[in-house]
């Protein structure tokens, strides 16, 4: 069981080939020693350095053998309460918050527009 809790800042501090961590399924792994042996090459892992690599890892459909290597590289659990999607990009916290806000507002608009159309339709039916 992982005991150490890794913060987002710590994760992001390990992005070079000689010191590289990735986040997979909520756990942080040190893949520094493995990267040269990776059958998929070092580039693909480097591009996920310091980020949530879960999606990239799962998209490839890694084998059980590949998964079995993970416990040996485990550093610890990613800090709880941190939105893991934020780790996917290098946005600052403020930028990420602004982004979330924009997404929220957009979905409000998508909700409001059809509603307004329905109201307008019934108003038209009623008055004509
Ligand atoms: C960090 C932990 C990782 C481990 C332990 C790992 C391990 C492996 C292993 C053992 C294979 C050989 C095929 C298999 O057994 O499934 C493989 C293939 C591959 N991996 Fe990873 N991998 C990791 C991360 C990643 C990431 C983050 C990517 C991202 C994009 C990636 C992309 C690939 C690709 C494209 C192949 C296919 C290579 C080929 O078939 O020619 N891997 N990996």
């Amino acid at each position: 069981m992982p005991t150490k809790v890794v913060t987002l800042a710590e994760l992001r501090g390990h992005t070079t080939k000689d010191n590289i961590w990735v986040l997979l399924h909520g756990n942080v792994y040190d893949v520094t020693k493995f990267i040269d042996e990776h059958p998929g090459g070092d580039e693909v892992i480097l591009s996920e350095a310091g980020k949530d690599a879960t999606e990239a890892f799962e998209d490839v459909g890694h084998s059980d053998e590949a998964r079995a290597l993970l416990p040996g590289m485990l550093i610890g659990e990613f800090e709880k309460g941190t939105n893991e999607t934020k780790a996917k990009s290098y946005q600052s916290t403020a930028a990420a918050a602004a982004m979330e806000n924009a997404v929220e507002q957009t979905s409000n608009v998508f909700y409001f527009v059809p509603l307004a159309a329905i109201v307008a339709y019934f108003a038209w039916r009623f008055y004509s």
Side-chain angles (χ1 to χ4, degrees):
M1 275 304 279
T3 44
K4 181 181 161 54
V5 174
V6 180
T7 65
L8 182 58
E10 271 183 288
L11 177 67
R12 288 181 177 177
H14 296 82
T15 57
T16 57
K17 205 181 167 224
D18 57 357
N19 199 345
I20 172 168
W21 295 5
V22 292
L23 171 61
L24 286 174
H25 294 292
N27 288 322
V28 176
Y29 299 94
D30 182 345
V31 292
T32 313
K33 293 199 184 86
F34 175 71
I35 192 160
D36 282 332
E37 299 159 26
H38 182 229
D42 56 359
E43 284 297 318
V44 285
I45 298 189
L46 266 167
S47 69
E48 299 298 323
K51 291 196 262 185
D52 188 344
T54 308
E55 216 177 293
F57 183 84
E58 292 304 336
D59 280 352
V60 173
H62 280 92
S63 65
D64 289 344
E65 285 75 20
R67 287 161 209 275
L69 297 169
L70 293 175
M73 304 184 227
L74 184 65
I75 293 195
E77 208 174 328
F78 191 56
E79 63 176 341
K80 287 205 167 62
T82 301
N83 188 344
E84 284 177 26
T85 58
K86 280 185 191 161
K88 282 184 179 156
S89 67
Y90 284 92
Q91 285 165 334
S92 69
T93 323
M99 186 66 193
E100 270 168 28
N101 220 352
V103 170
E104 209 164 281
Q105 277 172 9
T106 311
S107 53
N108 280 347
V109 167
F110 278 116
Y111 179 74
F112 180 76
V113 168
L115 200 72
I118 291 164
V119 170
Y121 174 73
F122 281 106
W124 173 74
R125 280 277 300 265
F126 184 78
Y127 288 111
S128 55

